[in-house]
Amino acid sequence: MLDDKKISKTSLDELGEFGLIEQIALRFPPKLTSTLQGIGDDAAVIDYKDEKTLVTSEIFIEGIHFRWDYMPLRHLGYKITMATASDLIAMNAKPQQLLVNIALSNRFTIEAVDEIYNGIKYACDQLKMDVVGGDTTSSTRGLCVSLTAIGSAKEEKILYRKGAKPKDLLVVTGDLGGAFLGLQVLEREAQVNKVNPNNQPDFSNYTYLIERQLKPQARIDILELLKELDVQPTSMIDISDGLSSEVLHLAKENGLGMNIYEEKIPLDPSTIRTAEEFNINPITCALSGGEDFELLFTIKQKDFDKIKGNPNFSIIGYVGEEKEGSFLITKGNEQKVPLVAQGWREQEA
Ligand code: ADP
Ligand code: MG
């Protein structure tokens, strides 16, 4: 990707670290009233008045969390911003400020860094966030980016993983498994490209899945929707590692069992079709795939009618009475299979 002919090459040395930071600063004039000082001083200054401050960090390492061959730099910047903001959204907080720490090897060009920041800016514009600072350094090999997102929420509105009660209903937004299958499609093409560099990939059957992988949307829209519907979740988490592991997180934090129905897990038709093509069970993609960045939450039964039939939500199960374990209830024969957390990501390196 870095050798892409469209990207010209200005070495980072020509501009220097300060020149680079100056360029970055020009693109991010603070817009939010909560940002009192953005890039340019020794620290940013933020004021959330009567709201609590929420902070979260993520780290992304080349070769472990992303690869160049199918992750254009602009998409990388966009995706990591969405992934980081998603953790604040899962607390029912408004993401507002972003810090960008970046370590670059000398094979990077100004234009390449620009592309990363184009993606970061695009995501920040969508989420209404200000980039207010960061740090820049060199690395001996590969790219490493770490993002810190800061946001705010009224104390009584913050949603924790803990808070679910027995008989609550488990709800997920959107559909699951798509991002994982998008990655499978991209990896398959990358393999073909190695053998035949003139290969012209035809992704037309996989547009939705590739978009789920390269351009995920953190579900900030859901927070507004829940408010409109007057639904108050009792606990919440974002789905970054696959449904199984997130359901198990909720179970553990609450000291309760969780039961989900296989037939209720939302799958897009292209997820089902493509999983068949790859000889994988689409449910496995949803349970273990990850990177969908949808929300998983629990609600009281009295809120059921408020979200029933709403296409944004699927009620996938219920919270068990006691510490009786967490299960997937299978289609048809209603067998209870213990849920296991098995991230696909761990297999990468
Ligand atoms: P210091 O020497 O105090 O660490 P820097 O020169 O690293 O200062 O940073 C100067 C300003 O630029 C600070 O406001 C810092 O937060 C910001 N900054 C540095 N690197 C980045 C980056 N990669 N992205 C965004 N802002 C950055
Ligand atoms: Mg610094």
Side-chain angles (χ1 to χ4, degrees):
M1 262 313 147
L2 289 178
D3 292 320
D4 197 313
K5 287 164 203 68
K6 285 179 288 197
I7 299 177
S8 60
K9 291 181 174 179
T10 315
S11 87
L12 282 171
D13 298 342
E14 277 173 53
L15 195 64
E17 184 190 325
F18 294 125
L20 178 67
I21 294 172
E22 236 165 71
Q23 268 201 2
I24 295 169
L26 283 176
R27 308 169 76 155
F28 294 103
K31 292 183 182 156
L32 302 173
T33 51
S34 58
T35 309
L36 303 188
Q37 170 68 53
I39 297 174
D41 214 310
D42 294 320
V45 183
I46 295 167
D47 181 8
Y48 293 139
K49 305 252 164 31
D50 55 351
E51 297 196 336
K52 295 289 174 207
T53 306
L54 292 92
V55 189
T56 184
S57 271
E58 294 275 337
I59 188 158
F60 304 92
I61 309 277
E62 180 175 347
I64 294 182
H65 302 98
F66 60 89
R67 284 172 44 183
W68 297 128
D69 23 7
Y70 42 76
M71 177 60 87
L73 290 167
R74 193 179 321 149
H75 288 262
L76 175 72
Y78 180 89
K79 180 172 175 173
I80 64 178
T81 305
M82 285 289 171
T84 309
S86 179
D87 281 324
L88 291 182
I89 292 167
M91 305 289 290
N92 201 21
K94 203 166 26 175
Q96 297 191 60
Q97 282 82 16
L98 190 72
L99 294 159
V100 183
N101 300 313
I102 190 163
L104 303 155
S105 70
N106 59 8
R107 75 187 160 94
F108 266 81
T109 60
I110 299 297
E111 290 78 6
V113 180
D114 243 24
E115 278 293 277
I116 299 175
Y117 273 91
N118 281 337
I120 292 174
K121 179 153 176 32
Y122 187 43
C124 280
D125 286 346
Q126 286 191 358
L127 296 165
K128 300 202 172 54
M129 293 182 82
D130 281 339
V131 171
V132 296
D135 202 19
T136 310
T137 182
S138 48
S139 88
T140 48
R141 252 186 93 238
L143 169 71
C144 168
V145 197
S146 170
L147 299 185
T148 298
I150 312 168
S152 74
K154 292 214 170 68
E155 187 171 11
E156 65 278 12
K157 296 288 177 201
I158 298 173
L159 293 175
Y160 296 90
R161 293 180 179 187
K162 192 170 165 64
K165 294 280 177 303
K167 297 207 176 79
D168 280 358
L169 301 173
L170 274 163
V171 185
V172 293
T173 60
D175 60 82
L176 301 175
F180 172 76
L181 281 166
L183 182 64
Q184 302 315 301
V185 171
L186 290 167
E187 277 182 347
R188 182 175 66 186
E189 281 318 311
Q191 288 303 324
V192 175
N193 265 340
K194 263 189 211 156
V195 185
N196 174 14
N198 296 322
N199 169 51
Q200 290 289 332
D202 176 10
F203 288 136
S204 53
N205 282 329
Y206 310 103
T207 332
Y208 177 68
L209 301 179
I210 288 171
E211 187 136 306
R212 294 290 282 171
Q213 170 59 220
L214 295 184
K215 205 168 159 288
Q217 302 287 318
R219 298 307 304 266
I220 196 158
D221 56 321
I222 295 293
L223 301 186
E224 201 47 50
L225 184 57
L226 288 171
K227 208 157 57 174
E228 273 168 33
L229 296 170
D230 190 34
V231 173
Q232 267 123 30
T234 52
S235 67
M236 193 181 260
I237 190 169
D238 70 326
I239 306 182
S240 48
D241 292 336
L243 181 62
S244 277
S245 96
E246 314 302 357
V247 167
L248 289 170
H249 279 310
L250 288 188
K252 183 159 175 268
E253 283 307 311
N254 288 285
L256 294 165
M258 304 275 163
N259 298 283
I260 59 175
Y261 292 94
E262 182 180 1
E263 63 189 346
K264 303 283 187 197
I265 296 174
L267 301 168
D268 186 81
S270 61
T271 300
I272 300 172
R273 180 168 31 84
T274 309
E276 273 165 17
E277 191 187 318
F278 278 84
N279 258 320
I280 329 174
N281 182 345
I283 292 292
T284 310
C285 301
L287 290 174
S288 309
E291 295 197 303
D292 289 314
F293 301 111
E294 296 293 340
L295 294 170
L296 168 71
F297 55 95
T298 51
I299 58 166
K300 293 201 166 68
Q301 289 200 9
K302 73 167 176 60
D303 281 339
F304 172 72
D305 284 337
K306 298 180 193 164
I307 67 165
K308 188 180 65 180
N310 188 316
N312 290 288
F313 303 112
S314 302
I315 297 151
I316 57 161
Y318 64 96
V319 181
E321 285 289 348
E322 311 154 348
K323 265 194 169 171
E324 51 197 6
S326 294
F327 297 94
L328 176 74
I329 302 162
T330 60
K331 234 182 279 191
N333 62 0
E334 304 251 313
Q335 255 184 327
K336 285 180 113 185
V337 184
L339 274 180
V340 284
Q342 190 190 52
W344 295 90
R345 318 257 90 219
E346 286 155 25
Q347 294 161 15
E348 288 177 21

Short mmCIF file of all heavy atoms in Angstrom, two decimals, residues 136-156:
data_model
loop_
_atom_site.label_atom_id
_atom_site.label_comp_id
_atom_site.label_asym_id
_atom_site.label_seq_id
_atom_site.Cartn_x
_atom_site.Cartn_y
_atom_site.Cartn_z
N THR A 136 4.48 12.16 18.91
CA THR A 136 5.00 11.63 17.66
C THR A 136 6.43 11.17 17.90
O THR A 136 7.23 11.89 18.49
CB THR A 136 5.03 12.74 16.58
OG1 THR A 136 3.75 13.36 16.56
CG2 THR A 136 5.34 12.18 15.22
N THR A 137 6.74 9.96 17.45
CA THR A 137 8.10 9.47 17.63
C THR A 137 8.44 8.51 16.49
O THR A 137 7.58 8.19 15.67
CB THR A 137 8.26 8.79 19.01
OG1 THR A 137 9.61 8.38 19.16
CG2 THR A 137 7.36 7.59 19.16
N SER A 138 9.70 8.10 16.42
CA SER A 138 10.06 7.17 15.35
C SER A 138 10.07 5.75 15.90
O SER A 138 10.17 5.53 17.10
CB SER A 138 11.42 7.54 14.77
OG SER A 138 12.33 7.73 15.81
N SER A 139 9.91 4.79 14.99
CA SER A 139 9.99 3.39 15.40
C SER A 139 10.98 2.71 14.48
O SER A 139 11.19 3.14 13.34
CB SER A 139 8.61 2.73 15.31
OG SER A 139 8.39 2.21 14.02
N THR A 140 11.62 1.65 14.97
CA THR A 140 12.61 0.98 14.13
C THR A 140 11.93 0.15 13.05
O THR A 140 12.44 0.00 11.96
CB THR A 140 13.49 0.05 14.99
OG1 THR A 140 12.63 -0.72 15.82
CG2 THR A 140 14.45 0.86 15.85
N ARG A 141 10.77 -0.36 13.38
CA ARG A 141 10.05 -1.19 12.40
C ARG A 141 8.56 -0.98 12.55
O ARG A 141 8.05 -0.98 13.66
CB ARG A 141 10.34 -2.67 12.66
CG ARG A 141 11.23 -3.30 11.65
CD ARG A 141 11.35 -4.79 11.90
NE ARG A 141 10.37 -5.56 11.13
CZ ARG A 141 9.49 -6.37 11.69
NH1 ARG A 141 9.42 -6.49 12.99
NH2 ARG A 141 8.66 -7.07 10.93
N GLY A 142 7.88 -0.82 11.46
CA GLY A 142 6.42 -0.83 11.49
C GLY A 142 5.80 0.40 12.12
O GLY A 142 6.47 1.30 12.62
N LEU A 143 4.48 0.40 12.07
CA LEU A 143 3.70 1.53 12.56
C LEU A 143 2.98 1.11 13.84
O LEU A 143 2.49 0.00 13.95
CB LEU A 143 2.66 1.90 11.49
CG LEU A 143 1.56 2.89 11.91
CD1 LEU A 143 2.12 4.29 12.10
CD2 LEU A 143 0.45 2.92 10.86
N CYS A 144 2.94 2.04 14.77
CA CYS A 144 2.20 1.79 16.00
C CYS A 144 1.40 3.07 16.29
O CYS A 144 1.96 4.16 16.27
CB CYS A 144 3.20 1.49 17.11
SG CYS A 144 2.47 1.52 18.72
N VAL A 145 0.12 2.92 16.47
CA VAL A 145 -0.71 4.08 16.81
C VAL A 145 -1.48 3.76 18.08
O VAL A 145 -2.04 2.67 18.22
CB VAL A 145 -1.78 4.39 15.73
CG1 VAL A 145 -2.33 5.81 15.92
CG2 VAL A 145 -1.24 4.22 14.34
N SER A 146 -1.51 4.69 18.99
CA SER A 146 -2.33 4.52 20.17
C SER A 146 -3.26 5.72 20.28
O SER A 146 -2.82 6.86 20.11
CB SER A 146 -1.46 4.40 21.42
OG SER A 146 -2.28 4.46 22.56
N LEU A 147 -4.52 5.46 20.50
CA LEU A 147 -5.50 6.54 20.61
C LEU A 147 -6.07 6.57 22.02
O LEU A 147 -6.33 5.52 22.62
CB LEU A 147 -6.66 6.34 19.63
CG LEU A 147 -6.34 6.32 18.14
CD1 LEU A 147 -7.64 6.23 17.34
CD2 LEU A 147 -5.56 7.55 17.72
N THR A 148 -6.29 7.77 22.52
CA THR A 148 -7.01 7.94 23.78
C THR A 148 -8.22 8.80 23.49
O THR A 148 -8.09 9.89 22.93
CB THR A 148 -6.10 8.62 24.83
OG1 THR A 148 -4.99 7.76 25.07
CG2 THR A 148 -6.86 8.85 26.14
N ALA A 149 -9.39 8.29 23.83
CA ALA A 149 -10.62 9.06 23.64
C ALA A 149 -11.12 9.52 25.01
O ALA A 149 -11.07 8.76 25.98
CB ALA A 149 -11.69 8.22 22.94
N ILE A 150 -11.58 10.76 25.05
CA ILE A 150 -12.08 11.34 26.29
C ILE A 150 -13.50 11.82 26.01
O ILE A 150 -13.79 12.35 24.92
CB ILE A 150 -11.18 12.53 26.74
CG1 ILE A 150 -9.71 12.10 26.69
CG2 ILE A 150 -11.55 13.01 28.14
CD1 ILE A 150 -8.73 13.24 26.84
N GLY A 151 -14.39 11.62 26.97
CA GLY A 151 -15.76 12.04 26.77
C GLY A 151 -16.45 12.31 28.08
O GLY A 151 -15.81 12.24 29.15
N SER A 152 -17.73 12.59 28.00
CA SER A 152 -18.43 12.96 29.23
C SER A 152 -19.84 12.38 29.25
O SER A 152 -20.41 12.05 28.21
CB SER A 152 -18.50 14.48 29.35
OG SER A 152 -19.46 14.99 28.44
N ALA A 153 -20.37 12.27 30.45
CA ALA A 153 -21.75 11.82 30.64
C ALA A 153 -22.23 12.29 32.00
O ALA A 153 -21.43 12.46 32.93
CB ALA A 153 -21.83 10.30 30.57
N LYS A 154 -23.52 12.50 32.11
CA LYS A 154 -24.10 12.76 33.43
C LYS A 154 -23.92 11.50 34.26
O LYS A 154 -24.13 10.39 33.77
CB LYS A 154 -25.61 13.06 33.29
CG LYS A 154 -25.89 14.37 32.59
CD LYS A 154 -27.16 15.01 33.18
CE LYS A 154 -27.33 16.43 32.68
NZ LYS A 154 -27.64 16.47 31.23
N GLU A 155 -23.55 11.68 35.50
CA GLU A 155 -23.18 10.53 36.33
C GLU A 155 -24.27 9.45 36.34
O GLU A 155 -24.00 8.26 36.20
CB GLU A 155 -22.90 10.99 37.77
CG GLU A 155 -22.35 9.87 38.62
CD GLU A 155 -21.85 10.35 39.98
OE1 GLU A 155 -22.12 11.52 40.33
OE2 GLU A 155 -21.20 9.55 40.66
N GLU A 156 -25.52 9.88 36.45
CA GLU A 156 -26.60 8.89 36.58
C GLU A 156 -26.93 8.20 35.26
O GLU A 156 -27.67 7.21 35.23
CB GLU A 156 -27.86 9.56 37.18
CG GLU A 156 -28.52 10.64 36.34
CD GLU A 156 -27.85 12.03 36.44
OE1 GLU A 156 -26.73 12.14 36.98
OE2 GLU A 156 -28.44 13.01 35.93
#
